[in-house]
Amino acid sequence: MSTISSSTEQDVVAKVPKGLFIGGEWRDATGGATLPVEDPSTGDSLCEVADATPEDATAALDAACAVQAEWAATPPRERGEILRRAYEAVVARAEELALLMTLEMGKPVAESRAEVLYAADFLRWFSEEAVRIEGRWATAPNGGMRMLTMRQPVGPCLLITPWNFPLAMGTRKIGPAVAAGCTMVVKPAKQTPLSMLALAQILDEVGLPDGVLNVFTSRSASKTTGPLIDDPRLRKLSFTGSTEVGRQLMRQASENLLRVSMELGGNAPFVVFEDADVDAAVEGAMVAKMRNVGEACTAANRFHVHASVADAFTQKLAERMGGLQLGRGSEDGVTVGPLIDDDQRGKVRDLVEDAMAKGARCVVGGPERIPGVPGYFFPPTVLADVPTDARLLAEEIFGPVAPIATFETEDDAIVAANRTEFGLVAYVYTRDLDRAIRVIERLETGMVGLNQGLVSNAAAPFGGVKQSGFGREGGVEGIDEYLSIKYAAIRAE
Ligand code: NAP
């Protein structure tokens, strides 16, 4: 039985502006082109949004550049209070934003609600950071001058976000950019533009001055962002998405030597030692694997479990995964939504079939299509005895599949965990404190979850190493991405 009526769903979609948000105004794309937004649980179209042209994208940058100096000079407290009001407005509208997100992205409403609150937290956190942009004052060692160091907004930014966390990946960039005094152009993913458009509407309503935030949606990301990256007025590119696209954007951004932040793909190992609390590890595994239907850069991609506890862990995880309920995210009791599109489902299926062809044993779920169900569903799957040459140990799965491999020694576990080009996050389960510290120090990742399956927090520096990118979002570090350091040498006799 549906908990949310279809008229409520339609109302939530109808309320969102569908145009381009440029210079504080909503407008159609030049030529009036639109692109469809699909509900991945049915494959039906929800609505159409504007399909920006390269000229529209440039108009968005024009608007950002026009108010950059004025915005940089706005008192930090004022910038912070706008963010605070935005935080409150997002929380007040959490239910409708959650439903909107579920409709365009597919995850269960409870998870969307959690993302909305997580997203709002970046607005609150950076509302507090806006007034703590500090500098330094020092006397030169020889006493001959004073040294003043200040931090200033980097300038107009281009922020490109993915579809998997349609709101939080935006506020993680918009929050610090607003706090720092930068203006910006935001391009959300074409599959999930509605959450970002709703956020732009909220920021407008709470008094963000015209032109500080500009949003365009487009069928062709490269054609519309390319001219902006090449434009000498742009000073910063912050990208969250795949490593492949990140590399391409880095190359483009090198021409103008843009400041760049890259939040890219992951391949998180989830390591369970023989001294771990196996029940707690299974609990953490469910969060690390199944948050966002496995479509998270932080998703546990592969499980390395000590051979002595592997059977118990596998059996308990399979029971939990097998007990999840697939369905439309807005329906009662549903705990797993669809994948974002048919391509993604096909990729997950290929990876599972490859592992099984190489000897992996399917404990629950599997690659067979679910008959008679529309939408892009893939069943929660646990694979045991996964051989080291299985592709899904090396590639980002981005789906509800848990491959389990075993290890014998701590060294073997660390070697296996680090055997990847990625380095975003790792999860470790152990009750031995000495081991925990040793392992945390040797893991080649930007983040580690110790005895817990979730690391994301607005107050923490989120980000990776190796091919997972660089730059940090959240924490006291997050605002640095949007600030440049200026030093003044002051003559003093
Ligand atoms: P994606 O294909 O790289 O797309 C991400 C964004 O970049 C979208 O807005 C996309 O626009 C745009 N884009 C694609 N090609 C582009 C190009 N040539 N020039 C400019 N923009 C371009 O990634 P995705 O499939 O949306 O997201 C999943 C990936 O994001 C995964 O690899 C995941 O690990 C990663 N991710 C990383 C983090 C992190 O913090 N490290 C967080 C979340 C997700 P269109 O959608 O309109 O094509």
Side-chain angles (χ1 to χ4, degrees):
M1 192 187 71
S2 181
T3 37
I4 296 164
S5 72
S6 61
S7 67
T8 308
E9 293 182 358
Q10 283 160 13
D11 289 349
V12 164
V13 173
K15 257 178 95 171
V16 181
K18 312 292 187 305
L20 311 173
F21 185 59
I22 299 177
E25 284 177 4
W26 293 96
R27 54 165 103 157
D28 291 339
T30 305
T34 57
L35 69 108
V37 183
E38 198 181 75
D39 176 346
S41 68
T42 60
D44 295 340
S45 174
L46 289 168
C47 63
E48 301 268 331
V49 297
D51 179 13
T53 63
E55 293 70 34
D56 295 324
T58 301
L61 181 61
D62 292 344
C65 293
V67 298
Q68 176 58 66
E70 196 183 334
W71 180 238
T74 304
R77 177 70 75 201
E78 232 174 89
R79 302 199 299 260
E81 282 173 356
I82 291 167
L83 286 174
R84 177 74 203 192
R85 292 198 294 276
Y87 160 74
E88 281 162 11
V90 169
V91 171
R93 292 187 217 173
E95 286 308 308
E96 65 184 87
L97 289 169
L99 177 56
L100 186 68
M101 188 183 293
T102 288
L103 291 173
E104 67 175 347
M105 192 270 165
K107 63 186 147 196
V109 167
E111 280 202 58
S112 294
R113 198 178 291 125
E115 183 186 334
V116 170
L117 298 179
Y118 172 53
D121 232 10
F122 287 100
L123 301 171
R124 173 167 60 176
W125 175 261
F126 286 106
S127 77
E128 292 154 355
E129 290 299 286
V131 293
R132 305 196 208 299
I133 301 168
E134 290 156 1
R136 279 191 289 129
W137 175 259
T139 301
N142 69 0
M145 65 174 180
R146 302 295 178 266
M147 301 185 296
L148 171 65
T149 308
M150 64 186 88
R151 297 195 292 159
Q152 297 181 306
V154 75
C157 305
L158 173 60
L159 314 178
I160 303 178
T161 58
W163 49 263
N164 63 341
F165 291 99
L167 204 60
M169 298 304 97
T171 57
R172 235 162 57 160
K173 300 182 192 302
I174 295 168
V178 167
C182 294
T183 61
M184 66 211 80
V185 176
V186 181
K187 196 214 77 68
K190 62 176 169 298
Q191 288 105 324
T192 58
L194 301 178
S195 298
M196 183 60 71
L197 295 171
L199 178 68
Q201 188 181 34
I202 287 173
L203 281 159
D204 187 33
E205 283 169 15
V206 300
L208 188 69
D210 295 349
V212 173
L213 170 79
N214 305 278
V215 180
F216 72 82
T217 47
S218 169
R219 197 182 287 273
S220 172
S222 58
K223 279 194 191 131
T224 44
T225 60
L228 304 196
I229 295 169
D230 291 341
D231 191 313
R233 295 173 300 167
L234 190 75
R235 293 311 319 138
K236 160 96 195 177
L237 168 65
S238 178
F239 172 74
T240 299
S242 60
T243 295
E244 190 190 338
V245 174
R247 283 194 192 108
Q248 199 177 316
L249 292 174
M250 284 274 299
R251 280 194 289 271
Q252 274 177 266
S254 68
E255 207 49 49
N256 271 329
L257 293 175
L258 285 182
R259 282 276 297 273
V260 174
S261 306
M262 289 281 152
E263 297 285 348
L264 308 178
N267 177 2
F270 189 106
V271 183
V272 183
F273 284 99
E274 63 275 27
D275 57 57
D277 174 338
V278 172
D279 289 328
V282 170
E283 207 55 52
M286 290 302 292
V287 177
K289 180 72 255 179
M290 292 308 296
R291 177 170 176 243
N292 230 40
V293 202
E295 293 174 316
C297 52
T298 50
N301 205 60
R302 54 209 161 92
F303 292 81
H304 299 284
V305 184
H306 190 271
S308 65
V309 291
D311 282 348
F313 179 84
T314 305
Q315 190 197 329
K316 287 176 187 218
L317 184 64
E319 269 167 30
R320 291 291 301 278
M321 294 279 274
L324 295 172
Q325 191 179 330
L326 254 74
R328 259 194 109 212
S330 55
E331 279 171 17
D332 224 4
V334 166
T335 44
V336 186
L339 296 177
I340 191 70
D341 55 29
D342 206 32
D343 285 352
Q344 186 58 30
R345 179 170 59 176
K347 193 189 136 203
V348 174
R349 184 178 298 122
D350 286 351
L351 289 173
V352 170
E353 285 174 349
D354 167 78
M356 290 174 68
K358 289 172 178 159
R361 180 167 52 87
C362 184
V363 187
V364 74
E368 288 77 33
R369 268 183 188 274
I370 306 167
V373 178
Y376 311 119
F377 292 94
F378 194 93
T381 296
V382 175
L383 299 175
D385 307 328
V386 177
T388 41
D389 62 341
R391 277 174 50 206
L392 81 184
L393 296 185
E395 296 176 32
E396 199 174 23
I397 303 171
F398 246 52
V401 177
I404 300 173
T406 58
F407 68 85
E408 295 286 350
T409 69
E410 187 178 305
D411 270 350
D412 290 348
I414 291 168
V415 168
N418 287 338
R419 195 183 297 128
T420 169
E421 61 172 349
F422 296 105
L424 190 61
V425 60
Y427 304 94
V428 179
Y429 273 74
T430 176
R431 283 186 281 207
D432 178 338
L433 181 60
D434 289 337
R435 165 177 274 161
I437 292 169
R438 272 195 312 270
V439 173
I440 288 172
E441 287 182 352
R442 291 181 64 192
L443 284 168
E444 296 167 358
T445 57
M447 301 177 287
V448 178
L450 175 64
N451 294 326
Q452 66 168 41
L454 182 73
V455 293
S456 304
N457 192 300
F462 188 104
V465 297
K466 295 162 75 177
Q467 305 295 309
S468 292
F470 48 80
R472 292 294 178 267
E473 293 192 323
V476 292
E477 295 82 359
I479 200 165
D480 289 341
E481 305 287 321
Y482 298 90
L483 293 167
S484 295
I485 292 173
K486 182 184 280 174
Y487 145 67
I490 302 173
R491 187 188 162 111
E493 299 282 326

